[in-house]
């Protein structure tokens, strides 16, 4: 199959966009450094001091280990929430009877405070890993389901007719016709979901785990280690950027293809 | 061309759910390799008729369609219905997963899109999109091809180009065609047999077998109109009862 060529104009546009993004990032760091130098307060450490704290926690402390544990929890919770939420949302959008049955449950789940779910999970299941994951998944499923329900409602019945007329197999229909229509909704749910899951996982760790970033932040809060807290936040942001770059951006590019 | 029917259609009192009838009665046997045009007023149920034949209303007892021979069905809809996220080649490959690439490239060459196999539908003109949908239809080597006013929004030269591509491929693949249109000139240019439908609930009110002419302008429409109007005074407005 012939490959599409990338023009020099497109390359130049990407280079320019990247340059702008890096410039904004550098401006933020410089602004942070200057503000910290101006305030000269132990409660507002500079970027340089935070970098030093990052180096200390990464080499001497448990930063990498804690980040790894949290990322693992986020990964498991995210995968489960996306799978279950997507199936639930698609069924709700595609089948009216399923929507009638589950709509009230969805509204309840959407509005129960995350903290209540976390506490109840720990009480009912115990202070174990499964409780932590369950709490995060239950908190996230409704928002994924809502987005995918809207997506399933906007799928084009004319394309389903096309599949029926041309005897396209169920698998090919799902892969090439149905799911591509849901990709923009899946992507939005994934981006939104990941940001929410990060936050919930930290609360879950803070309340009932003895490891992970949430637990580490709680410990540093006890000692007013602001530079440590910011160092963990930096690690956190780095991981988020990495996920965006490795997972979401390529998927986004694929979703936008031809649209 | 022999007169053995490629498909037999019998639709009697077809309606959506418990609504009013859309089709009163249409009984039709289409001989193999014939091109039958169905013409009728707007809203008379022409598209519903094609959808019935295509099997898009399953479990409806009013519809009886039989394919005495092998059934390979293709449908070119009013809009091209190309998947925007697949390029032209992949849109065609989607309906024929077992086809070798050479077959698809040959079809693309036949419709004049050999250079555009990697293009996405959004980058093609309306005429090119129609030709891509024609190529997709012929990719399944159809024994029966249904077309629902496929060239309606195209400018005259592009529409004519598409008609010629259709006739060429239909002859090549020995395809039996049901072609819905509201354009009498188009019907006369393409068809072996033209069926006129009445208003809703529709039924066949007249049949006409034109002689193929070399161009769409050559059709003696006026003469035919006079002949039809003498027998059915209101037929072209669809109000014949």
């Amino acid at each position: 199959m012939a490959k599409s060529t990338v023009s020099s104009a497109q390359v130049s546009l990407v280079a320019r966009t990247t340059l702008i993004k890096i410039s904004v990032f550098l401006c933020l760091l410089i602004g942070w450094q200057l503000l910290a130098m101006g305030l000269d307060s132990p409660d507002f450490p500079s970027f340089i001091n935070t970098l030093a704290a990052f180096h200390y926690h990464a080499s001497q402390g448990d930063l990498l280990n804690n980040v790894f544990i949290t990322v693992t929890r986020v990964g498991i919770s995210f995968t489960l929430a996306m799978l279950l939420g997507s199936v639930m949302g698609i069924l709700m959008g595609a089948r009216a009877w399923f929507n009638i049955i589950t709509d009230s449950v969805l509204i309840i789940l959407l509005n129960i405070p995350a903290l209540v779910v976390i506490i109840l999970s720990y009480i009912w299941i115990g202070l174990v890993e499964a409780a932590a994951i369950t709490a995060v998944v239950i908190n996230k499923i409704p928002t994924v389901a809502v987005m995918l329900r809207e997506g399933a409602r906007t799928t084009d019945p004319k394309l389903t007719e096309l599949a029926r007329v041309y005897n396209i197999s169920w698998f090919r229909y799902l892969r090439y016709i149905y799911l591509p229509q849901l990709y923009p909704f899946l992507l939005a749910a994934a981006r939104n979901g990941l940001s929410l899951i990060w936050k919930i996982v930290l609360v879950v760790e803070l309340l009932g785990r003895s490891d992970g970033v949430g637990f580490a932040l709680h410990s540093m809060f006890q000692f007013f280690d602001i530079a440590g807290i910011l160092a963990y936040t930096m690690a956190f942001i780095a991981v988020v950027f990495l996920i965006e770059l490795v997972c979401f951006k390529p998927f986004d590019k694929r979703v936008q293809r031809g649209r | 061309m022999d007169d053995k029917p490629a498909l037999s259609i019998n639709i009697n009192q077809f309606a959506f759910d418990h609504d009013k009838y859309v089709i009163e009665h249409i009984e039709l046997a289409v001989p193999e390799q014939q091109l039958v045009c169905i013409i009728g007023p707007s809203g008379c149920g022409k598209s519903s008729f094609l959808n019935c034949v295509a099997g898009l209303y399953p479990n409806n007892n009013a519809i009886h369609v039989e394919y005495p021979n092998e059934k390979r069905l293709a449908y070119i809809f009013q809009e091209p219905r190309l998947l925007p996220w697949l390029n032209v080649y992949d849109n065609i490959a989607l309906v024929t997963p077992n086809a070798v690439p050479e077959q698809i490239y040959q079809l693309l060459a036949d419709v004049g899109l050999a250079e555009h196999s990697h293009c996405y539908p959004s980058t093609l003109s309306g005429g090119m999109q129609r030709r891509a949908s024609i190529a997709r239809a012929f990719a399944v080597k159809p024994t029966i091809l249904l077309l629902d006013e496929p060239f309606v929004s195209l400018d005259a030269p592009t529409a004519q180009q598409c008609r010629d591509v259709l006739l060429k491929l239909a002859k090549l693949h020995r395809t039996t065609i049901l072609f819905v249109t509201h354009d009498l000139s188009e019907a006369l240019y393409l068809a072996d047999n033209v069926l006129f439908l009445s208003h809703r609930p529709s039924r066949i009110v007249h049949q006409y077998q034109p002689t193929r002419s070399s161009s769409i302008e050559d059709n003696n429409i006026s003469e035919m109109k006079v002949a039809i109007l003498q027998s059915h005074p209101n037929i072209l407005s669809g109000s014949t009862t």
Side-chain angles (χ1 to χ4, degrees):
Chain A
M1 199 182 303
K3 290 255 167 74
S4 56
T5 52
V6 181
S7 68
S8 59
Q10 281 172 307
V11 173
S12 139
L13 183 70
V14 171
R16 225 178 318 152
T17 312
T18 311
L19 197 68
I20 290 169
K21 283 180 179 174
I22 292 171
S23 305
V24 170
F25 191 65
L26 285 175
C27 283
L28 278 173
L29 292 183
I30 292 166
W32 174 9
Q33 181 67 25
L34 292 176
L35 189 66
M37 284 164 72
L39 289 171
D40 196 22
S41 160
D43 291 342
F44 197 90
S46 68
F47 170 64
I48 305 287
N49 287 344
T50 305
L51 214 56
F54 180 86
H55 180 257
Y56 170 78
H57 284 288
S59 55
Q60 311 290 320
D62 274 346
L63 186 141
L64 295 179
N65 187 40
N66 281 326
V67 167
F68 176 75
I69 289 167
T70 300
V71 167
T72 307
R73 283 188 187 123
V74 167
I76 295 169
S77 312
F78 176 79
T79 308
L80 285 174
M82 284 302 292
L83 273 174
L84 297 172
S86 298
V87 171
M88 187 178 172
I90 290 170
L91 279 174
M92 288 178 84
R95 296 281 177 268
W97 61 266
F98 190 76
N99 188 48
I100 291 167
I101 292 170
T102 49
D103 193 39
S104 307
V105 180
L106 186 71
I107 291 169
I108 293 168
L109 286 175
L110 270 171
N111 292 289
I112 291 180
L115 199 56
V116 172
V117 178
I118 296 166
I119 292 168
L120 288 178
S121 293
Y122 278 139
I123 292 171
W124 288 339
I125 304 173
L127 285 171
V128 290
E129 202 63 38
I133 303 286
T134 306
V136 181
V137 171
I138 291 174
N139 271 306
K140 185 54 203 157
I141 282 176
T143 52
V144 176
V146 165
M147 280 196 193
L148 267 295
R149 177 175 64 177
E150 297 315 309
R153 282 174 176 167
T154 60
T155 53
D156 189 352
K158 288 179 176 178
L159 297 182
T160 309
E161 283 182 355
L162 178 87
R164 199 184 294 170
V165 166
Y166 284 102
N167 273 326
I168 293 170
S169 69
W170 183 83
F171 175 74
R172 288 172 72 79
Y173 168 71
L174 209 61
R175 182 174 171 193
Y176 295 111
I177 298 178
Y178 193 73
L179 288 179
Q181 294 180 75
L182 298 180
Y183 283 163
F185 296 89
L186 265 173
L187 188 64
R191 277 207 168 111
N192 173 277
L194 193 65
S195 68
L196 191 72
I197 282 175
W198 275 121
K199 290 159 193 167
I200 300 172
V201 165
L202 292 201
V203 178
V204 167
E205 289 176 343
L206 188 142
L207 284 175
R209 304 307 302 145
S210 55
D211 49 19
V213 174
F215 171 76
L217 289 176
H218 182 59
S219 307
M220 283 182 274
F221 170 63
Q222 310 287 323
F223 299 104
F224 292 100
D225 182 3
I226 311 295
I229 291 172
L230 288 174
Y232 265 83
T233 309
M234 267 171 60
F236 219 70
I237 290 168
V239 172
V240 169
F241 267 107
L242 192 70
I243 292 171
E244 177 71 24
L245 207 67
V246 175
C247 301
F248 289 147
K249 276 276 187 275
F251 187 52
D252 195 8
K253 208 173 162 188
R254 190 187 159 90
V255 167
Q256 294 307 326
R257 212 168 47 184
R259 290 182 206 251
Chain B
M1 197 181 305
D2 69 52
D3 285 340
K4 187 181 166 193
L7 80 161
S8 304
I9 305 159
N10 188 349
I11 301 170
N12 201 20
Q13 299 190 323
F14 167 76
F16 295 109
D17 298 323
H18 299 293
D19 212 349
K20 287 178 184 170
Y21 293 136
V22 177
I23 297 170
E24 175 72 42
H25 179 71
I26 295 179
E27 192 170 355
L28 182 66
V30 186
E32 275 186 354
Q33 297 175 55
Q34 251 208 10
L35 198 158
V36 176
C37 273
I38 294 136
I39 199 162
S42 185
C44 76
K46 301 186 293 286
S47 300
S48 301
F49 169 69
L50 276 197
N51 289 344
C52 287
V53 178
L56 292 178
Y57 309 126
N59 309 320
N60 192 315
N61 295 330
I63 306 164
H64 300 280
V65 182
E66 285 175 21
Y67 303 88
N69 304 319
E70 191 187 3
K71 177 200 170 189
R72 282 193 308 273
L73 192 79
Y75 197 156
I76 299 177
F77 298 91
Q78 218 170 78
E79 63 291 346
R81 296 197 193 181
L82 298 169
L83 303 176
W85 45 86
L86 296 182
N87 63 29
V88 172
Y89 178 96
D90 291 337
N91 262 289
I92 296 169
L94 176 71
V95 299
T96 171
N98 300 323
V100 291
E102 286 72 25
Q103 287 174 307
I104 295 174
Y105 283 122
Q106 181 56 52
L107 265 173
L108 284 170
D110 289 342
V111 298
L113 290 176
E115 303 295 313
H116 298 86
S117 61
H118 63 280
C119 294
Y120 287 94
S122 58
T123 64
L124 301 179
S125 69
M128 290 159 107
Q129 289 186 22
R130 302 301 159 125
R131 281 185 278 145
S133 70
I134 293 173
R136 179 178 61 190
F138 280 100
V140 298
K141 298 188 175 74
T143 52
I144 311 289
L145 174 61
L146 312 174
L147 298 100
D148 185 7
E149 303 190 46
F151 314 131
V152 71
S153 57
L154 299 178
D155 60 82
T158 310
Q160 186 55 30
Q161 194 185 21
C162 289
R163 283 181 205 112
D164 291 337
V165 166
L166 172 72
L167 286 177
K168 184 179 83 177
L169 288 173
K171 195 173 175 186
L172 193 71
H173 293 266
R174 304 160 69 89
T175 308
T176 307
I177 296 179
L178 280 182
F179 191 108
V180 158
T181 180
H182 62 250
D183 182 346
L184 199 54
S185 313
E186 182 174 56
L188 295 173
Y189 177 71
L190 291 171
D192 298 304
N193 194 6
V194 184
L195 305 180
F196 292 84
L197 297 189
S198 68
H199 263 306
R200 264 190 203 202
S202 59
R203 60 193 175 83
I204 298 169
V205 289
H206 190 74
Q207 289 198 38
Y208 180 80
Q209 294 191 325
T211 46
R212 282 265 173 84
S213 53
S214 57
S215 86
I216 201 158
E217 288 82 14
D218 291 346
N219 291 301
N220 199 342
I221 297 171
S222 304
E223 192 180 302
M224 193 217 65
K225 272 184 183 172
V226 170
I228 295 171
L229 287 167
Q230 277 173 351
S231 55
H232 297 83
N234 298 314
I235 196 166
L236 297 178
S237 67
S239 56
T240 300
T241 52

